Every structure is written in structure tokens, then in C-alpha cells.
């Protein structure tokens, strides 16, 4: 594919002439050309964009974010040059959209740096948003059209345990006793009372909340109403009418949300789309934007894609719905960058890589697809191993699904056939494709998980050597429980060799902030409760504010502890200190206004900067939620909900990428959280089949319903319909499709993990490991991840001979 195809007219005119007639002071076009020529071929294709749609499919380590930032800065500069003589207010701006707040902050900083340092331009002319941030911005500017009065609504993150979902379940049960009874009967029910009560509990607290949570996310993110789900349900024949049940739960949830003035993240997207349905508002929004650049496009949902396509269109045309015509329309100024092979969120979010794959295919038909396949991050052996794993997994998948008849564009395979290639000589990246350490790929089969720790720790000590500050390393785990176990096993060894051990899972449990605040507030509300007193004392001990002591003895007689009478035995000094601090808390409860209590408790607990910021965020959330019921009871209820049912994201005062990839540090982090990061050395222990690709199984407590779960069947049926399949799959087919989706994503997760390594990827699958990591002491024979033996056969020189280790 010719690079010139994507070059903007202003760049094409100057490519050959400007270098020969350079003035002493570089012109803006000189500076643009200098940035462009410093990029790799794939990045240059992005930088050469002038107008229209463009898809960029990028491999891991290809410099996607750097390329996008450079391309964005160049696009802004060309726009600046084009409208240099006009009023600043008449200029349009570039909208850059990415998946997370941290990614948005990162790309914003890179664009500003290009504008300031390389182009000598004002750091304006663009906005960077998350998708939901963009939607909220549009909706709030047109509140009369969006229906969102932000001062009157509260944003929630629905989860399976959220009180709205639990309430929706109870209301649905009350309104649908006959269908509920059918679910209760399930299979082989003999009417025994104890079993009936057990099944009731499972349905009310697990099965139906999980179904509601899954379907609400899937349906709302695709613009599907409860009525549409009911229509689809009439095309199915399953005994439980799963989609009909899901529609009822979804409807109850929506009614609760509306009645309490709550919204969720999908409501933001829907509200923005309501605005853009209005001709006048749509033109206003479109006339402020000259293009939209989207990063991590593989993680978009259908509605999010629709929002960006409308915003990126010139001239207010919103009527074109045919996929090919929609993308081929030259008025669509949309650049989407992503890697479908790094789509690792589709089994627990509505994201589906099929939509970005389709966009790439549509752009390819009109010759608007570019591939960033040159990657300088990893050593060649690591690239070879990742490429081999991708092809082997795809071949295995094709052999199973197509009886060996391979079709190159089969969307059922886990990976898009896209090979990582090393960079060319003279690449601008420093130390591109660095030399490997040892063989660069090391494959181990330890006896058990304890032998794994022994081998891993020995290799870590060797690698860090005399000066640990020169290297970065990470252990990537599939589950947080593995990380916690490893952290405990490695702590003393790392301390002995002065290697900093950083367990991200442990640090991320900064949800201790809401838990500790709740414990102290519950004590302030009911100081004579032994349970609440003990919980508060435990928090104070944990924060080292009072000495460790027998808390049970203190909590057994709260009044005597807090306010000892004249005849009481003298208290020890440690007890007196604890009692004084507790009395100070009670005094604050009486003297301070309710809205200041959380901030006061945070100071009392001696929180650090990040914890104080997290407490401030918590206070803002709680005070907003109890605005109509400002009472201690309301505050405790809101806090209890946050602690029990929501992932409260702590505020970080340090860049997460820098925190996780410090030199001299061995980071323990999950494979999911490692996406977008890299280290010199990456360790991948515990690569067992029961985790990757994992078991797709029915929890024993809900097996009375059959050999499937309602939530996964519903998800697969909804996605099949959205993907345009002619018929909705039955329960058996849907369960099989859900299983394949899960397997594909787990393999993509392993691919992401392997490609985090620069100079060494260390992989192991112990012969004995736990069946479940909630009981790591129970070891049994475990089969390795299927691709692991294939890697050993393909790279025999990388297989460690444990007889000599």
C-alpha cells in the first residue's frame, strides 16, 4: 500500500520541494515534515491523514499512542495554518477519544509536547476525552434535549450487588410469580423445603442479579430497549424464556433509575445521541469539530461508535446507515486506531472487537486501512514467540470450528491474522528491539507452585544483580489471589536482596478508605455496639494510631471502656490512649456538621496524600447521594453500599504507568492491568489450562437450572442478534458461543501478557497447582495451558533443564 494515499494535500505539495529550499528559520511545514519523517511507516500513514475515514490496526509495541499524538499535533498544525488569518473563535478543533482517564491524560501530554517543543504552536485546538466524558460534555451543553439535568441526577456504576439491581429483582419476582416458580423448580425438584429455600436464595442473590447486570450492560450499550428484548424472546423456545425474564429485570431497573434521578454510564451515551438527533444541535456540535481520532477502538460498543461517527461527519448528514456507505462517505473525518488482538474486555463489558474488525474491513475495501506492524519494544525472540502463539491458537480454533477448512477472514478465530515485525535499521526509537537477556524466552515446568517461587526468585536475583536500579520487572498473574500468594512468598527474598516488591493488587485495595471510614462512622452512630467498637479499634490499630492489644476485652464492655466509673479498675496506658481517641471521635460527631465528618476522620486516620484525595472523592460521592436525605442513617447507607457493592476507584496522585514500571522494582500485577505497560523482564507463572483458556462451567449452587448460566446465554443471544445472524441461537448454541468468546479472550490476554516483555519473557506451568487459588494449599496435577507445550516444541532451546537448576 502506498504511503502517499493518506497524505494530506498540504503535505503532498511540500514533500519534495521544501527540503531543497529551506529558509534559515524552519517554517511550520518544515516542522510538520520533521515530525512526520521521524516516525515509522505505519505511524507516518496516520500522520499523513488529511480527511475522510482511516483505520489503523496496530500490533503491540508499535508506538500507537506516540503515532496518534504526532498525527494529532500535525492535524492541529495544518488546521492552524489553514485558518491562521481567521478569528480563533471560528476555528474547529480536533477531538481525541480514548478508553481510560489515565490514557487520556497521557495522550494529552504528548500532543501538548509536540505542539510546544516541535511545532512552536499554542497548546490549543484540541480536546481529549474518555468516551463517557465526551458524551457527558455534549449532553450537559444541551440539557433540554438530552434530558440530563446534572444538578438533579446521580451517576452510579451498576454491579450485580447494586441495590437498584437487587430491588429490581425483588420487584420482578413479585410481579412474575409463575415464571419465578418455573425457575425455582428447575430440574429434578422434589419439593423438599430446605432445597426450596436454598434455591430461592441462589435465584434472588446470584442468578437473577447476574442476569440483570449482564443484560442491562449489553442492551443499553447497544441501544436495545426492554420491548426489543421481548420481541427477540418470542423468537426463542427455551423453557425459561431467558430474554423475556431479562427484559423484565431491565425494565424494573430503568423504572427505579428514573424514579430516583439516577443515571449510569450508558445513559450518558444515550443522552448525547438524543442531542445529536436534533438537526440544529447536531450541526452546532459538528461545526466545532474538524475530525475525531479514537484510540483503543477495539474496546468500543455499538452506541459509542455511532456517537463518534455522527460527531466526525461534516455537513450534518446523519441518515446513512449502510456500513460500507457510512464509512466510505468522504465527509466522515474519523481516524480509529486499535488492535483487535488486544481486545481483553469483551466478556465483562459490552465492548466487542467485532465492530473494529468490521471498520477495518470496510476501510480496506476503499483502501483506507493502514497497518502498524513494526514494533520496537521486544527482542526478536519474544516477537517470534508471540507470533507463533497467535498462529497456533488460530489454527487450533479453525480446526475445531470449521472441521479444518480454514477461512482467512473467519471472525470466530481469536486473532486477526496480523504479524508483529521488528523495526527497520535506523528506526528513531532508542534501543529498538533490544538484545535479549539469555535466550530471551525461558520455559519452565516446575514440580509445583513452591518450586515455581524458588525458580522465579532465583532468576529475579540473577537479573537484578548488584545494581537493581538498572532494571524493571513484573510478574503477571491471571488472578489477584495468585498475586497475593506470590507477594507473601517473595517478600523476604526481595527484602534480603534490596529489590522493591510492589503488589498492585494489594495497593489497589485502597478501598480500605471507604471501609475504615464506614467502621468509624458506625461506631460514632452506635458507640455501645461491641461489634462496631471492635471494628473501629481494629481500624485504629491498622493505622498504628493505637497500640496492638486485646480488642475483644475492650469491646466486650463498651461503656466501661469509654467512660470508666470511679469504682472501675485503673486502665492501662495503652487502653487510656485508645479510649481518648474514641471519645474524640464521638465529640466530633456531636460538634461537626455531617458533611465534614468524612474529611475529619481521614485526617484522624493520618492518611497520606493519595488517601486524603480518595477520602475527599468519597465524601463528595456520599454527600451527593444523600442530598435529599442528609442524615447519619443516609450517610451510613450510602457508604455501606459503596463498600459492599461498588468498586470505588481510589484517587492516585502519581502516574500509574510510572508507579508500576519503576526501575529496581518487581511489580506483581494482573494481566488485565498490565495492558499498555512494559518491563525489561516479564514473568508469567501458573500457565494452566484451568485458568487460560479456563473452565466455562456452571456454579454448583445453580446447577438445578441446567448445564448453562442464564446470564451467558442471554449475552450470547443478544450479541448474535446485533451481529446480524439470521436466527437467535438456542440455549445450547448460545452457551457454546459464549464459551468460544471466553476462550478467545483468554488467549488474547496471554498474547497481551507475552508482549509486555522487552528483553525476557519467563513462562512456567507447574505440574502441581491448586484447583482454585482460594485454597492454594490444596495441590493437584494440573494440565498446562495448551499453547505452552506447543511453545516448548517450537523453541526447544528455550526449555529449561531443571536437572541443572
Amino acid at each position: 500500500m502506498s504511503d502517499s494515499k493518506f497524505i494530506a494535500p498540504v503535505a503532498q505539495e511540500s514533500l519534495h520541494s521544501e527540503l531543497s529550499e529551506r529558509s534559515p528559520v524552519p517554517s511550520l511545514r518544515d516542522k510538520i515534515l520533521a515530525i512526520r519523517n521521524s516516525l515509522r511507516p505505519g505511524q507516518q500513514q496516520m500522520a499523513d491523514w488529511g480527511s475522510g475515514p482511516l483505520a489503523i490496526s496496530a500490533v503491540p509495541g508499535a508506538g500507537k499512542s506516540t503515532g496518534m499524538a504526532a498525527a494529532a499535533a500535525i492535524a492541529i498544525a495544518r488546521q492552524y495554518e489553514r485558518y491562521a488569518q481567521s478569528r480563533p473563535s471560528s476555528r474547529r478543533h480536533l477531538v481525541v477519544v480514548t478508553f481510560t482517564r489515565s490514557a487520556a491524560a497521557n495522550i494529552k501530554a504528548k500532543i501538548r509536547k509536540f505542539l510546544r517543543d516541535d511545532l512552536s504552536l499554542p497548546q490549543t485546538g484540541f480536546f481529549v476525552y474518555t468516551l463517557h466524558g465526551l458524551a457527558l460534555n455534549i449532553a450537559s451543553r444541551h440539557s433540554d434535549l438530552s434530558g440530563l439535568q446534572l444538578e438533579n441526577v446521580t451517576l452510579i456504576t451498576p454491579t450485580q450487588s447494586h441495590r437498584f439491581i437487587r430491588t429490581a429483582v425483588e420487584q420482578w419476582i413479585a410481579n412474575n410469580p409463575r415464571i419465578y416458580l418455573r425457575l425455582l423448580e428447575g430440574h429434578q425438584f422434589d419439593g423438599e423445603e430446605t432445597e426450596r429455600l436454598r434455591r430461592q436464595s441462589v435465584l434472588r442473590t446470584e442468578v437473577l442479579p447476574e442476569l440483570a447486570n449482564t443484560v442491562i450492560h449489553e442492551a443499553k450499550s447497544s441501544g436495545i430497549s426492554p420491548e426489543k428484548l421481548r420481541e427477540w424472546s418470542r423468537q426463542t423456545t427455551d423453557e425459561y424464556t431467558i430474554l423475556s425474564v431479562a427484559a423484565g429485570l431491565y425494565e424494573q431497573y430503568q423504572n427505579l433509575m428514573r424514579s430516583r434521578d439516577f443515571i449510569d454510564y450508558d445513559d450518558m451515551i444515550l443522552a448525547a445521541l438524543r442531542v445529536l438527533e436534533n438537526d440544529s444541535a447536531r450541526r452546532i456540535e459538528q461545526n466545532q469539530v474538524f475530525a475525531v481520532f479514537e484510540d483503543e477502538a477495539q474496546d468500543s460498543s455499538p452506541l459509542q461508535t455511532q456517537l463518534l461517527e455522527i460527531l466526525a461527519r461534516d455537513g450534518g448528514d446523519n441518515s446513512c446507515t449502510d456500513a460500507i456507505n457510512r464509512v466510505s462517505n468522504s465527509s466522515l473525518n474519523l481516524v480509529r486506531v486499535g488492535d483487535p488482538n488486544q481486545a481483553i474486555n469483551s466478556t465483562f463489558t459490552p465492548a466487542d472487537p467485532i465492530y473494529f474488525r468490521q471498520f477495518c474491513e470496510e476501510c480496506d475495501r476503499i483502501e483506507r486501512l493502514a497497518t502498524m506492524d513494526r514494533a520496537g519494544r521486544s527482542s526478536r525472540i519474544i516477537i517470534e514467540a508471540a507470533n507463533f502463539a497467535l498462529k497456533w491458537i488460530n489454527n487450533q480454533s479453525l480446526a475445531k470450528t470449521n472441521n479444518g477448512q480454514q477461512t482467512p477472514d473467519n471472525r470466530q478465530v481469536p486473532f486477526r491474522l496480523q504479524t508483529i515485525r521488528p523495526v527497520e535499521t535506523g528506526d528513531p526509537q532508542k534501543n529498538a528491539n533490544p538484545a535479549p537477556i539469555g535466550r530471551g524466552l525461558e520455559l519452565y515446568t516446575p514440580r509445583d507452585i513452591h518450586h515455581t517461587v524458588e525458580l522465579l526468585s532465583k532468576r529475579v536475583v540473577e537479573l537484578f544483580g548488584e545494581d537493581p536500579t538498572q532494571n524493571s520487572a513484573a510478574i503477571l498473574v491471571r488472578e489477584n489471589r495468585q498475586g497475593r500468594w506470590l507477594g507473601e512468598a517473595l517478600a523476604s527474598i526481595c527484602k534480603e536482596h534490596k529489590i522493591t516488591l510492589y503488589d498492585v493488587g494489594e495497593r489497589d485495595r485502597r478501598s480500605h478508605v471507604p471501609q475504615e471510614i464506614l467502621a468509624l462512622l458506625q461506631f460514632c452512630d452506635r458507640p455501645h455496639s461491641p461489634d462496631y467498637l471492635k471494628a473501629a479499634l481494629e481500624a485504629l490499630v491498622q493505622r498504628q494510631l493505637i497500640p496492638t492489644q486485646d480488642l475483644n476485652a475492650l469491646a466486650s464492655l463498651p461503656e466501661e471502656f469509654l467512660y470508666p466509673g470511679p469504682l472501675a479498675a485503673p486502665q492501662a496506658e495503652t487502653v487510656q490512649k485508645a479510649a481518648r481517641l474514641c471519645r474524640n471521635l464521638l465529640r466530633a460527631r456531636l460538634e461537626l456538621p455531617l458533611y465534614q465528618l468524612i474529611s475529619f476522620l481521614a485526617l484522624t486516620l493520618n492518611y497520606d496524600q493519595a488517601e486524603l484525595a480518595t477520602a475527599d472523592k468519597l465524601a463528595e460521592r456520599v454527600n451527593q447521594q444523600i442530598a435529599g436525605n442528609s442524615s447519619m442513617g443516609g450517610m451510613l447507607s450510602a457508604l455501606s453500599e459503596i463498600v459492599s457493592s461498588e468498586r470505588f476507584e481510589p484517587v492516585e496522585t502519581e502516574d500509574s504507568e510510572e508507579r508500576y514500571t519503576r526501575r529496581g522494582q518487581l511489580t506483581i500485577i494482573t494481566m488485565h492491568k498490565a495492558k499498555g505497560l512494559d518491563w525489561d523482564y516479564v514473568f508469567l507463572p501458573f500457565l494452566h489450562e484451568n485458568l487460560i483458556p479456563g473452565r466455562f462451567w456452571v456454579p454448583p449452587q445453580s446447577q438445578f437450572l441446567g448445564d448453562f448460566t442464564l446470564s451467558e446465554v442471554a449475552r450470547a443471544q443478544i450479541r448474535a442478534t446485533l451481529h446480524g445472524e439470521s436466527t437467535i441461537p438456542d440455549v445450547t448454541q448460545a452457551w457454546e458461543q459464549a464459551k468460544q468468546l471466553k476462550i478467545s479472550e483468554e488467549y488474547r490476554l496471554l498474547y497481551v501478557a507475552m508482549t509486555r516483555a522487552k528483553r525476557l519473557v519467563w513462562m512456567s506451568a507447574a505440574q502441581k497447582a491448586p484447583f482454585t487459588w482460594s485454597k492454594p494449599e490444596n495441590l493437584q496435577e494440573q494440565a498446562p495451558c495448551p499453547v505452552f507445550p506447543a511453545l516448548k516444541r517450537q523453541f526447544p532451546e528455550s526449555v529449561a533443564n531443571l536437572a541443572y537448576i
Side-chain angles (χ1 to χ4, degrees):
M1 186 178 292
S2 170
D3 287 355
S4 64
K5 171 177 309 178
F6 301 106
I7 299 177
V10 66
Q12 278 184 319
E13 292 169 6
S14 60
L15 276 177
H16 301 292
S17 61
E18 291 194 27
L19 286 176
S20 58
E21 299 179 9
R22 233 181 241 283
S23 60
V25 179
S27 68
L28 181 57
R29 294 190 180 188
D30 289 333
K31 294 173 182 176
I32 289 173
L33 196 59
I35 294 176
R36 190 256 181 202
N37 290 341
S38 71
L39 301 173
R40 292 181 186 138
Q43 294 171 323
Q44 288 179 350
Q45 289 173 302
M46 205 186 330
D48 290 340
W49 173 86
S51 64
L54 176 63
I56 308 283
S57 187
V59 301
K64 178 166 54 70
S65 61
T66 298
M68 172 169 271
I74 288 173
I76 295 162
R78 288 174 180 151
Q79 188 76 358
Y80 180 89
E81 186 179 45
R82 189 173 296 126
Y83 295 100
Q85 305 304 318
S86 64
R87 297 191 311 275
S89 60
S90 67
R91 296 179 199 150
R92 294 182 173 189
H93 56 256
L94 175 70
V95 169
V96 181
V97 182
T98 190
F99 193 60
T100 63
R101 285 191 295 270
S102 60
N106 181 41
I107 200 163
K108 183 187 292 185
K110 287 184 176 181
I111 294 172
R112 284 176 171 169
K113 188 175 187 302
F114 275 117
L115 290 172
R116 181 187 66 242
D117 298 348
D118 297 84
L119 296 168
S120 304
L121 289 177
Q123 298 165 55
T124 58
F126 73 101
F127 294 100
V128 181
Y129 299 101
T130 62
L131 277 158
H132 293 111
L134 172 64
L136 187 61
N137 189 280
I138 294 171
S140 60
R141 283 203 298 268
H142 306 270
S143 57
D144 55 327
L145 296 173
S146 68
L148 284 191
Q149 304 292 336
L150 292 182
E151 64 275 12
N152 298 326
V153 299
T154 302
L155 176 66
I156 67 166
T157 306
T159 67
Q160 182 179 333
S161 302
H162 196 281
R163 60 190 174 102
F164 280 3
I165 286 184
R166 291 299 179 91
T167 304
V169 166
E170 295 301 324
Q171 290 179 351
W172 180 87
I173 290 172
N175 295 335
N176 298 273
R178 183 182 58 81
I179 303 174
Y180 176 65
L181 184 61
R182 178 69 195 91
L183 290 170
L184 198 63
E185 289 175 353
H187 296 284
Q188 301 178 338
F189 182 47
D190 58 8
E192 200 271 328
E193 181 65 10
T194 304
E195 175 62 12
R196 186 180 69 83
L197 293 173
R198 188 192 72 81
R199 293 186 180 191
Q200 273 189 348
S201 176
V202 171
L203 285 171
R204 288 173 179 263
T205 64
E206 298 178 29
V207 173
L208 291 175
E210 183 181 359
L211 174 63
N213 185 55
T214 298
V215 169
I216 288 165
H217 279 304
E218 291 289 331
K220 288 187 76 172
S221 69
S222 305
I224 305 303
S225 66
E227 292 73 23
K228 177 61 73 173
L229 281 183
R230 287 197 180 90
E231 180 185 323
W232 290 351
S233 180
R234 288 191 283 273
Q235 302 173 38
T236 63
T237 57
D238 64 274
E239 56 185 319
Y240 300 135
T241 60
I242 296 172
L243 285 182
S244 179
V245 173
L249 293 166
Y250 179 12
E251 188 172 56
Q252 293 291 345
Y253 170 82
Q254 287 292 88
N255 291 338
L256 282 168
M257 294 277 284
R258 281 192 290 266
S259 67
R260 312 285 176 85
D261 288 325
F262 275 63
I263 61 169
D264 58 29
Y265 285 104
D266 290 319
D267 286 318
M268 290 184 186
I269 306 292
L270 290 165
L273 287 170
R274 283 196 296 272
V275 170
L276 298 177
E277 286 173 358
N278 179 276
D279 290 343
S280 175
R282 185 171 66 253
R283 280 193 292 271
I284 289 172
E285 292 297 325
Q286 290 173 328
N287 286 338
Q288 295 179 46
V289 177
F290 72 82
V292 175
F293 284 16
E294 182 191 13
D295 194 13
E296 303 292 359
Q298 76 277 356
D299 289 321
S300 283
S301 69
L303 283 188
Q304 292 167 352
T305 300
Q306 184 183 343
L307 172 63
L308 297 185
E309 288 184 354
I310 293 172
L311 196 62
R313 197 170 297 282
D314 240 345
D317 177 17
N318 185 32
S319 59
C320 188
T321 56
D322 177 75
I324 297 176
N325 291 334
R326 186 182 72 238
V327 171
S328 62
N329 191 324
S330 61
S331 69
L332 182 67
N333 295 312
L334 176 62
V335 177
R336 303 187 71 196
V337 186
D339 182 2
N341 295 340
Q342 295 189 72
I344 57 173
N345 298 309
S346 62
T347 57
F348 57 91
T349 76
D352 193 330
I354 193 172
Y355 300 112
F356 181 61
R357 282 190 181 190
Q358 287 173 341
F359 185 80
C360 289
E361 291 165 6
E362 292 153 10
C363 285
D364 195 21
R365 291 189 190 103
I366 59 171
E367 298 185 311
R368 303 288 295 182
L369 170 67
T371 300
M372 291 174 58
D373 59 0
R374 298 278 185 182
R377 171 190 295 156
S378 304
S379 300
R380 291 174 182 267
I381 182 66
I382 297 172
I383 290 175
E384 290 172 16
N387 287 335
F388 170 79
L390 181 152
K391 292 174 184 174
W392 186 90
I393 292 165
N394 263 11
N395 288 338
Q396 293 298 305
S397 178
L398 285 166
K400 291 179 182 177
T401 57
N402 291 349
N403 296 319
Q405 298 179 4
Q406 299 187 11
T407 51
D409 60 346
N410 191 323
R411 290 177 186 159
Q412 301 306 313
V413 295
F415 297 97
R416 183 175 187 266
L417 193 56
Q418 185 166 277
T419 302
I420 308 172
R421 296 196 294 163
V423 300
E424 296 174 335
T425 304
D427 186 85
Q429 178 180 334
K430 293 180 180 178
N431 198 26
N433 302 128
I437 287 292
R439 295 193 178 276
L441 172 69
E442 297 179 3
L443 307 171
Y444 294 77
T445 307
R447 295 185 301 274
D448 55 29
I449 60 174
H450 303 288
H451 191 204
T452 302
V453 171
E454 181 185 331
L455 295 169
L456 191 155
S457 60
K458 181 179 178 181
R459 193 68 175 109
V460 166
V461 171
E462 289 173 355
L463 291 168
F464 276 77
E466 294 182 1
D467 186 3
T469 61
Q470 296 303 307
N471 308 293
S472 64
I475 305 172
L476 274 50
V477 292
R478 180 61 188 83
E479 295 182 353
N480 268 316
R481 290 177 295 186
Q482 294 173 323
R484 194 174 308 158
W485 185 86
L486 271 171
E488 294 172 356
L490 292 169
S492 60
I493 299 169
C494 289
K495 185 176 182 181
E496 178 185 348
H497 292 276
K498 296 182 174 56
I499 300 169
T500 302
L501 183 65
Y502 186 95
D503 181 358
V504 172
E506 186 66 36
R507 183 72 177 183
D508 280 356
R509 287 185 280 278
R510 197 169 281 149
S511 56
H512 69 243
V513 170
Q515 289 171 342
E516 289 171 353
I517 297 291
L518 176 61
L520 296 192
L521 279 176
Q522 285 175 327
F523 162 70
C524 290
D525 186 51
R526 294 179 58 192
H528 301 303
S529 163
D531 290 340
Y532 289 158
L533 172 57
K534 182 181 177 183
L537 291 170
E538 285 175 339
L540 297 174
V541 169
Q542 186 69 27
R543 301 299 305 182
Q544 299 181 344
L545 295 171
I546 61 174
T548 302
Q549 51 198 298
D550 186 356
L551 302 183
N552 290 305
L554 305 186
S556 60
L557 296 169
E559 290 187 32
E560 187 173 310
F561 163 67
L562 291 168
Y563 302 104
L567 300 180
Q571 291 180 332
E573 185 178 343
T574 55
V575 175
Q576 290 179 22
K577 183 174 182 179
R580 280 195 301 271
L581 189 48
C582 287
R583 288 194 294 269
N584 287 341
L585 296 176
L586 296 177
R587 191 178 305 116
R589 165 69 181 94
L590 295 173
E591 296 176 356
L592 291 176
L594 200 62
Y595 67 86
Q596 290 184 3
L597 271 181
I598 291 179
S599 297
F600 169 79
L601 294 177
L603 291 170
T604 301
L605 289 167
N606 200 23
Y607 280 163
D608 63 24
Q609 183 182 1
E611 290 167 324
L612 286 172
T614 301
D616 286 342
K617 175 183 173 182
L618 179 68
E620 183 180 352
R621 166 89 71 88
V622 170
N623 289 328
Q624 184 181 38
Q625 195 159 325
I626 66 171
N629 176 31
S630 186
S631 65
M632 177 62 92
M635 178 176 279
L636 289 172
S637 175
L639 263 174
S640 297
E641 179 186 322
I642 289 170
V643 169
S644 65
S645 66
E646 293 200 13
R647 288 183 177 178
F648 183 77
E649 293 292 334
V651 174
E652 300 293 358
T653 55
E654 181 184 6
D655 178 63
S656 60
E657 181 173 341
E658 180 182 332
R659 190 170 66 253
Y660 298 158
T661 59
R662 288 193 193 105
R663 296 200 169 277
Q665 176 174 290
L666 177 62
T667 302
I668 301 176
I669 189 170
T670 63
M671 293 177 177
H672 275 103
K673 209 169 184 68
K675 184 176 178 294
L677 306 175
D678 54 51
W679 294 267
D680 293 318
Y681 319 126
V682 167
F683 296 84
L684 305 178
F686 316 135
L687 297 177
H688 296 106
E689 187 176 26
N690 66 340
L691 283 178
I692 298 178
R695 308 179 308 275
F696 206 65
W697 62 300
V698 182
Q701 64 270 25
S702 59
Q703 288 177 358
F704 67 89
L705 290 167
D707 296 328
F708 55 87
T709 62
L710 272 59
S711 59
E712 290 301 331
V713 167
R715 185 206 302 273
Q717 289 178 330
I718 291 171
R719 291 199 179 185
T721 308
L722 292 171
H723 296 169
E725 294 184 17
S726 56
T727 59
I728 297 178
D730 61 25
V731 168
T732 302
Q733 293 170 324
W735 181 248
E736 185 60 30
Q737 288 180 11
K739 179 180 178 181
Q740 292 307 314
L741 176 68
K742 171 72 172 173
I743 288 172
S744 294
E745 183 154 301
E746 291 296 334
Y747 277 136
R748 289 196 293 269
L749 187 60
L750 177 60
Y751 175 79
V752 166
M754 292 176 68
T755 54
R756 300 309 93 197
K758 295 179 183 178
R759 305 182 67 192
L760 170 67
V761 60
W762 186 103
M763 306 171 72
S764 76
Q767 297 172 48
K768 288 187 176 182
F771 178 75
T772 170
W773 279 86
S774 59
K775 297 180 179 178
E777 67 280 1
N778 293 346
L779 302 183
Q780 53 188 270
E781 296 286 341
Q782 292 291 347
C785 168
V787 74
F788 187 75
L791 283 166
K792 291 172 71 174
R793 291 191 296 271
Q794 181 69 16
F795 301 96
E797 67 283 359
S798 294
V799 178
N801 186 345
L802 299 187
Y804 297 96
I805 296 179

